[in-house]
Amino acid sequence: MHLLPRVLRIAALLVRYRLDDVIDDAHRFRILRWARVLVPRARAEIASLPRGERLVLALTELGPIFVKFGQILSTRRDLLPADIADALTALQDKVTPYPGSVARTAIEKALGAPVEERYAAFDEQPLASASIAQVHAAQMLDGREVVIKVLRPDIRERIDRDIELLRALGELANRVHPNADKIRPLDVVAEIESTLLNELDLQREGANASLLRRNFLNSDDLYVPEVIWSHTTAGVLTLERVRGIPVDDLAALDAAGIDRVRLAEKGVQLFYTQVFRDNFFHADAHAGNIWVDASRPANPRFIALDFGIMGTLSEQDQFWLAENFLALFEQDYQRIADLHLRAGWMPENVRMDELESAIRAVCEPYFTRPLSEISLAAVLIKLFQTARRYRLTLQPQLILMQKTLLNIEGVGRLLHPKIDIWATAKPVLEKIWWKRRGPKAMLKRLRQRVPEWLAATPDMPQLMHSYLEQVTSGKLEVRIASEDLRRLETHSRRGPQLAVSLTIGATFALCAVALQVLDTQTLRIGGVCVWAMGAAAISAVAFIAALRSR
């Protein structure tokens, strides 16, 4: 019951801004039916606005935490109409600052010492104020200029209270909304909660900044401010102070003589480098978090800010996503369909020809345009929306990556409206992917596994002996863990021959690795390999003989 006043206020706002029309089957929500009767309708100037803009106004009136909710929700383009997602992306997380004296007290509590003992100077007038934290300028005892990011007072309690409200609304929607199984409101609330709680840990944000800085140390493309770890805790983050031009201030960029064409190309290249080289990308790359270093106009570089939301992909998703991009560059629709199925994003009963035809229908209209007018992010979004008809399953990380790509392309076209996204992205991705998947990368991964294999080597004879005993005695059992594995039953008779082939193949592979890894004389290595291959051959013969004796 303690949530009822807040729920009533939200319902009243929905009606006042005519957002009850945005909710499908709003008549199912009785509270909205009553609110329609009791609450006056929106003024004409508000009613004439697009629904996305009306939603932004309502979230802003609800308060800073709901503004943050809207920003996070904008990443879920798989759930939202495009116009609403675009409007939410434009939400500005700017709120009234709280007194600098309160920030000073919070900093002293977090660092366990008076501000004067930790900093040579501290400016109580904030540089910026957002829903989660506030930023102040300061100076270290050694003279370095820094900024201090400090959490707003009582922010955890406010977030917990609003999350509880959101969860209650999510449970209501889960019960009465006809498309609840597709929208998954409770999962969305859980995702928002996780993101917000991560942003409450400024030490985590510092770790994100530190890793991104290490990935681009001495780079000509991106600068990341240094984290001052001695003055950083979960509640306070101290960073090197940087200065630059906001990326959307085109007049200032032109006045500084910045090569905007080169800068736009670097922005696109940086995205693919972060996603596919480092598997660690800035997932909140809107114009407010990206500056430009004005000190190098001919060879400009970006400056990254705000590291609360970062993205990573699993090794499998990285592989499937990169292969999908490369197939898209080549307009190979059959391969795109095949990759979607093999990645496990689609049910196995989907017909390949139907999926390929649907993908072709999405992509072909784009390819009739000049490449400079094609948005890779737009094509990707359309592909995902089309694939949803076939029960596409995507992880939140992929949705976050998609939203980041949309932001980066937007920045690129802002800087250089005629940029050819495809021509810029394709060679970068091909080069990075070759380094990640080429022979040298494969050999490096094999070298890393050698110590593990060598440690397991003494156990191999006993394991082989136990396996042979089970085979010859008829006690070997094959347990199928899923429907996918059940298909292997039809090939069970090929299992022994396959095991022999794998044994010999693994031996040759290990010898090849040893030739590259072991720091011994060539002749000695050759002798070891000959002995190992001989042992493998003897084992294989004994294996086959044992099988034939059954």
Side-chain angles (χ1 to χ4, degrees), residues 46-265:
I46 293 179
S48 63
L49 294 174
R51 61 179 181 175
E53 293 185 26
R54 285 183 271 125
L55 179 58
V56 167
L57 290 173
L59 290 173
T60 302
E61 186 171 335
L62 281 170
I65 300 302
F66 275 82
V67 169
K68 179 62 70 174
F69 291 162
Q71 290 177 326
I72 297 170
L73 196 60
S74 72
T75 66
R76 296 308 307 269
R77 288 180 174 268
D78 58 326
L79 303 179
L80 299 175
D83 61 320
I84 291 180
D86 290 339
L88 291 178
T89 301
L91 271 172
Q92 295 297 309
D93 193 16
K94 297 178 180 179
V95 300
T96 303
Y98 58 89
S101 58
V102 176
R104 174 189 288 268
T105 301
I107 293 170
E108 291 178 341
K109 181 179 179 181
L111 298 182
V115 164
E116 291 76 14
E117 292 184 10
R118 307 306 300 270
Y119 302 95
F122 173 75
D123 187 354
E124 290 195 358
Q125 183 66 31
L127 293 173
S129 183
S131 56
I132 301 292
Q134 189 161 288
V135 179
H136 291 261
Q139 188 178 45
M140 299 294 292
L141 297 177
D142 60 8
R144 283 182 296 172
E145 287 188 291
V146 295
V147 294
I148 307 172
K149 187 172 184 177
V150 56
L151 294 177
R152 297 182 72 89
D154 304 323
I155 186 62
R156 179 60 186 261
E157 290 76 10
R158 293 172 60 189
I159 287 179
D160 287 344
R161 184 174 62 250
D162 285 337
I163 284 289
E164 184 183 3
L165 172 61
L166 273 184
R167 194 178 291 113
L169 294 174
E171 289 172 351
L172 177 63
N174 203 42
R175 287 197 301 269
V176 304
H177 200 287
N179 296 319
D181 58 329
K182 296 180 180 179
I183 299 174
R184 306 189 308 277
L186 291 177
D187 289 346
V188 174
V189 172
E191 187 179 332
I192 291 174
E193 180 181 15
S194 175
T195 302
L196 283 172
L197 293 181
N198 285 341
E199 289 200 57
L200 288 178
D201 186 352
L202 295 184
Q203 188 161 321
R204 182 190 183 102
E205 181 176 343
N208 291 339
S210 184
L211 177 55
L212 190 63
R213 176 181 171 84
R214 188 160 63 248
N215 290 342
F216 288 92
L217 200 60
N218 302 319
S219 168
D220 287 332
D221 302 331
L222 181 68
Y223 186 81
V224 179
E226 180 184 0
V227 179
I228 313 300
W229 283 112
S230 60
H231 292 61
T232 294
T233 68
V236 169
L237 171 62
T238 303
L239 290 166
E240 167 195 4
R241 186 172 185 180
V242 292
R243 291 178 172 82
I245 301 172
V247 73
D248 57 350
D249 191 346
L250 301 184
L253 292 175
D254 291 339
I258 299 294
D259 184 348
R260 285 203 275 136
V261 174
R262 183 74 187 103
L263 192 64
E265 292 173 348

Side-chain angles (χ1 to χ4, degrees), residues 468 496-497 500 537-550:
L468 287 170
Q497 291 87 340
V500 172
I538 294 171
S539 299
V541 171
F543 197 2
I544 295 172
L547 291 173
R548 288 181 174 176
S549 66
R550 293 181 59 188

Side-chain angles (χ1 to χ4, degrees), residues 467 471 476 478 488-503 543 547 550:
Y467 180 77
V471 170
L476 181 65
V478 179
L488 294 176
E489 287 183 316
T490 58
H491 302 286
S492 59
R493 292 183 179 180
R494 297 174 54 195
Q497 291 87 340
L498 181 61
V500 172
S501 301
L502 290 175
T503 302
F543 197 2
L547 291 173
R550 293 181 59 188

Side-chain angles (χ1 to χ4, degrees), residues 185-498:
L186 291 177
D187 289 346
V188 174
V189 172
E191 187 179 332
I192 291 174
E193 180 181 15
S194 175
T195 302
L196 283 172
L197 293 181
N198 285 341
E199 289 200 57
L200 288 178
D201 186 352
L202 295 184
Q203 188 161 321
R204 182 190 183 102
E205 181 176 343
N208 291 339
S210 184
L211 177 55
L212 190 63
R213 176 181 171 84
R214 188 160 63 248
N215 290 342
F216 288 92
L217 200 60
N218 302 319
S219 168
D220 287 332
D221 302 331
L222 181 68
Y223 186 81
V224 179
E226 180 184 0
V227 179
I228 313 300
W229 283 112
S230 60
H231 292 61
T232 294
T233 68
V236 169
L237 171 62
T238 303
L239 290 166
E240 167 195 4
R241 186 172 185 180
V242 292
R243 291 178 172 82
I245 301 172
V247 73
D248 57 350
D249 191 346
L250 301 184
L253 292 175
D254 291 339
I258 299 294
D259 184 348
R260 285 203 275 136
V261 174
R262 183 74 187 103
L263 192 64
E265 292 173 348
K266 284 188 174 187
V268 175
Q269 293 166 358
L270 275 171
F271 169 79
Y272 290 94
T273 301
Q274 290 182 53
V275 172
F276 295 108
R277 187 195 72 180
D278 305 327
N279 191 21
F280 189 73
F281 58 94
H282 196 302
D284 197 17
H286 58 76
N289 288 339
I290 305 174
W291 288 357
V292 179
D293 187 349
S295 66
R296 17 187 312 148
N299 186 24
R301 66 177 174 182
F302 293 97
I303 299 173
L305 304 172
D306 195 346
F307 312 96
I309 305 177
M310 306 295 290
T312 60
L313 300 174
S314 69
E315 187 76 18
Q316 292 83 0
D317 281 342
Q318 260 194 312
F319 173 80
W320 298 119
L321 192 62
E323 292 295 329
N324 267 283
F325 273 133
L326 294 172
L328 196 58
F329 289 141
E330 301 296 334
Q331 301 175 39
D332 189 344
Y333 308 129
Q334 182 179 6
R335 177 156 176 75
I336 294 173
D338 179 58
L339 287 166
H340 273 65
L341 289 170
R342 290 169 55 201
W345 296 345
M346 314 288 295
E348 286 194 352
N349 59 358
V350 171
R351 286 182 52 181
M352 175 77 75
D353 58 336
E354 289 185 1
L355 183 58
E356 180 185 349
S357 177
I359 291 171
R360 183 183 297 107
V362 168
C363 296
E364 277 301 311
Y366 284 94
F367 291 120
T368 61
R369 311 174 193 172
L371 288 179
S372 61
E373 297 178 9
I374 299 177
S375 166
L376 185 56
V379 176
L380 197 64
I381 290 171
K382 283 287 184 69
L383 278 176
F384 285 167
Q385 289 175 342
T386 299
R388 280 176 60 193
R389 297 204 310 263
Y390 298 89
R391 290 184 293 165
L392 171 72
T393 301
L394 285 180
Q395 298 300 316
Q397 294 89 336
L398 285 176
I399 305 300
L400 196 61
M401 184 281 308
Q402 173 188 288
K403 177 253 187 184
T404 303
L405 176 58
L406 199 66
N407 285 345
I408 293 299
E409 283 197 2
V411 169
R413 293 197 187 281
L414 176 69
L415 294 170
H416 177 36
K418 295 297 184 181
I419 185 173
D420 187 338
I421 299 291
W422 293 64
T424 304
K426 183 179 178 182
V428 176
L429 179 56
E430 288 178 336
K431 181 179 179 181
I432 292 173
W433 204 234
W434 174 251
K435 287 185 177 180
R436 287 286 308 273
R437 293 287 169 176
K440 289 185 178 180
M442 190 68 68
L443 181 59
K444 181 179 179 181
R445 284 197 290 271
L446 286 172
R447 285 175 175 172
Q448 293 172 343
R449 298 297 300 272
V450 166
E452 179 184 341
W453 291 340
L454 291 177
T457 299
D459 298 327
M460 289 303 173
Q462 181 60 43
L463 290 173
M464 179 64 75
H465 177 72
S466 300
Y467 180 77
L468 287 170
E469 278 190 336
Q470 293 181 51
V471 170
T472 54
S473 64
K475 296 180 180 178
L476 181 65
E477 295 182 1
V478 179
R479 297 181 181 178
I480 305 299
S482 69
E483 289 299 324
D484 293 334
L485 291 177
R486 200 174 301 280
R487 292 175 301 173
L488 294 176
E489 287 183 316
T490 58
H491 302 286
S492 59
R493 292 183 179 180
R494 297 174 54 195
Q497 291 87 340
L498 181 61

Side-chain angles (χ1 to χ4, degrees), residues 1-8 160-165 168:
M1 292 298 292
H2 68 283
L3 296 175
L4 185 59
R6 188 73 160 150
V7 172
L8 291 174
D160 287 344
R161 184 174 62 250
D162 285 337
I163 284 289
E164 184 183 3
L165 172 61

